[in-house]
Amino acid sequence: MNEAKFIEELKKININLTNNQIAQFQTYANFLLEYNQKTNLTAIKTMEEVYLKHFYDSLTLVKIADISNGNLLDIGTGAGFPGLVLAIAFPKLKVTLLDSNNKKIKFLEECLKILKLNNVNIVYQRAEDYAHQNREKYDFITSRAVAELRILLELGLPCLKVNGSFLIMKANVSKEEQESSIETLKILNSTIDNILELDLPHNEGHRTLIKIIKKVKTNNLYPRTYDKIKKKPLK
Ligand code: SAM
């Protein structure tokens, strides 16, 4: 997907970028590809793939939620997906990018200096630790390609406000993964509001977007330590 096609496809989902935002995406793409030559951040190596599989893909979230306003935490953001892309497209959204990998955090800090965004905050921490200090704080939590559903729910839901939305992005979610998360959702007092299956333009890949709504404040017991979450996911 080249830049012109990116702009055109975004119009179809009601995102109309300004010239400044288009320039910010160019800066982000160039910096990512250049940085990626010396430090491995992403398997994606071409400009066309960056626009399709990172930028456009991140913005498909608008199909399941209005994320133009409020505050958002992106867990396991990596090189900024979807969080940094959302911050460029929605300047009124306050975005916190969280990752436990120092290499990714260094990239994000450098990238932010050149993008000159004032709605982004970067946190170098493990999600399970951050969650204990930042409870019920966010309108939205996002997470793309980070962990199995049951694990993600325990990591993310404590940080979400009651009635807030946890927006999970994955390539595929198996029936077993979905079914095994039902009990986890009950324990964490949350429900699935929407599951959207979609294909990227030109059949460039299948995607699953899951929207979860939190109904009641999360018990302070959660999240447990990561080894406990991993060894015995909530069910
Ligand atoms: N979301 C990005 C994307 O889609 O391109 C990155 C996905 S990458 C496969 C997973 C990221 O999650 C890594 O950067 C990793 O460091 C981060 N991660 C995994 N578990 C984490 C945790 N418990 N706390 C914070 N970050 C975590």
Side-chain angles (χ1 to χ4, degrees), residues 29 43 113 152 160 166 188:
K113 274 187 214 156
L152 262 188
L160 194 63
F166 193 174
L188 297 170

Side-chain angles (χ1 to χ4, degrees), residues 84 107-117 120 122:
L84 188 50
F107 164 78
L108 290 170
E109 284 169 351
E110 291 296 312
C111 193
L112 207 57
K113 274 187 214 156
I114 53 173
L115 284 174
K116 298 185 175 71
L117 292 168
V120 180
I122 299 170

Side-chain angles (χ1 to χ4, degrees), residues 14-127:
N14 292 321
I15 299 174
N16 294 294
L17 299 178
T18 63
N19 288 340
N20 184 44
Q21 287 168 315
I22 293 169
Q24 284 174 322
F25 278 117
Q26 283 167 1
T27 304
Y28 187 7
N30 286 327
F31 189 64
L32 177 68
L33 289 174
E34 183 195 310
Y35 204 97
N36 206 40
Q37 286 178 357
K38 44 183 170 70
T39 311
N40 189 27
L41 297 168
T42 167
I44 284 173
K45 305 269 187 261
T46 70
M47 191 60 89
E48 293 238 325
E49 277 186 304
V50 169
Y51 272 88
L52 178 67
K53 296 191 174 169
H54 283 326
F55 296 171
Y56 178 79
D57 185 55
S58 296
L59 289 165
T60 57
L61 274 185
V62 302
K63 294 181 183 228
I64 57 165
D66 176 2
I67 41 180
S68 55
N69 236 312
N71 66 353
L72 179 149
L73 170 69
D74 188 26
I75 295 180
T77 191
F81 308 113
L84 188 50
V85 174
L86 300 177
I88 294 174
F90 302 110
K92 285 192 202 144
L93 186 67
K94 291 195 169 54
V95 175
T96 297
L97 305 173
L98 174 89
D99 207 287
S100 57
N101 179 319
N102 194 26
K103 195 172 73 174
K104 311 265 173 73
I105 293 294
K106 285 221 162 82
F107 164 78
L108 290 170
E109 284 169 351
E110 291 296 312
C111 193
L112 207 57
K113 274 187 214 156
I114 53 173
L115 284 174
K116 298 185 175 71
L117 292 168
N118 56 15
N119 58 336
V120 180
N121 171 34
I122 299 170
V123 179
Y124 172 37
Q125 202 172 8
R126 291 202 60 89

